[in-house]
Amino acid sequence: HLVKPSCNTIAVDVFAVAHFMYHSALKKKRQEGEEPKLEQSVLANKKDDGTIYPRMAYLMIEFFEKLASLGKPTYLLFDNATSKTTARKFISEKYKSSRTHKSNVFYKTVDFVQLYASKCMTPNTYVVRVPTREADDLIKSLVLYSEEGKIPTGKIVAIANDSDWYACLHRDDFEMIWFGDDEPYTEESFVNEYRFPPTMKSVAVYKALMGDRSDDIEPVLSKRDISMEDLEFLVMTYGKGELAETLPVVIGLDENLTAKVKTKLREGRDQYRINLKLTDYMHTGYERLMRYTTQSANNKRLRNALMKAIGAVADDTAPVKGFSFGGVSVNV
């Protein structure tokens, strides 16, 4: 209901939605008085798995179809298949290391939703999944190529709750919304919270300095070390162009900062540089982005078959077997 008529394009962080719908399905199951047993089975209809995964798939599909029904170009942005293969893991093994990994069925359910979205939804739906790239990178590439006129997007509404997406709020026509929010999160919202204007570089520098617990990025500074005014000065000064890389080198020459902050930055020089690589987005060439972008085929017959399969699994009435439809093999 927060997607306003003035919106031209919708962009979705699919894995964030997947986690939300997974927990929504769990909550509903428990409200019905049944504690689900979630095993590592690759069979989504195995009785020990309950009906969590087909419900999760159904909720995701229902939500994406509601968005697509608004008639706007809708980009579903997927992370790469597993976090272990991301390029950022080569920069730091700690990256996202403390996150709780879901069972294989969770990720296979997301794969099923990707199949459905690419084959069965209306043609204004676009599925984007690029190897070694996260959805955080893909939204930034989408914005970049929109600004260059290669991808017509107009005003973008992003369905996401990841602070990495804040880097795109520098556009006047970009805003974020999430389940349960009363208002969109805009550039004004960001400035009120962080006290500096968001850009791809300024957000990267801020996270490189202050860390990001959700991604296991270790901080160089804490809020006890530096005042809001000095932090704002650092981000505003070095969050421009290539200056971000020079921060640990020239910081000793800066008279505006306290000795404590200078010492912390000198001692954390290597950590800062690692953090900057982790937080700065990984560029995806236009041709590569397009190669991994699929326009949905609007196959209504396959849609009916897949939705029937999901319903049967959710009701525990499906046989343990696979079926093929239109050249696509589906294990129910």
Side-chain angles (χ1 to χ4, degrees), residues 29-30 57 73 98 138 147 200 204 227-228 254 271 284 294 329:
K29 192 76 172 175
R30 287 167 179 152
S98 67
L138 299 179
E147 292 172 345
M200 292 191 187
S227 67
M228 286 294 294
D254 206 315
Q271 186 64 52
T284 303
T294 304
S329 180

Side-chain angles (χ1 to χ4, degrees), residues 5 38 41 47 59 66-67 90 155 184 191 193 209 232 234 250 253 287 299 322:
L38 304 175
S41 167
K47 289 186 178 180
L59 288 171
K66 283 183 178 179
L67 291 177
F90 293 101
K155 180 179 180 180
V191 173
E193 182 175 356
L209 289 169
E232 180 184 358
L234 274 180
V250 303
L253 305 175
E287 291 184 0
N299 188 325

Side-chain angles (χ1 to χ4, degrees), residues 63-122:
F63 178 62
F64 294 156
E65 287 193 328
K66 283 183 178 179
L67 291 177
S69 71
L70 298 175
K72 318 287 186 180
T74 301
Y75 288 84
L76 305 181
L77 308 181
F78 287 77
D79 287 347
N80 48 274
T82 63
S83 60
K84 291 182 180 179
T85 62
T86 63
R88 287 178 173 86
K89 281 287 183 180
F90 293 101
I91 300 171
S92 172
E93 291 183 357
K94 294 181 180 179
Y95 183 68
K96 294 186 177 180
S97 60
S98 67
R99 289 195 176 184
T100 302
H101 293 285
K102 297 290 191 293
S103 74
N104 289 335
V105 188
F106 176 90
Y107 299 103
K108 287 182 178 293
T109 301
V110 175
D111 290 340
F112 177 87
V113 172
Q114 180 185 351
L115 164 69
Y116 180 95
S118 62
K119 300 289 184 181
C120 306
M121 292 181 63
T122 51

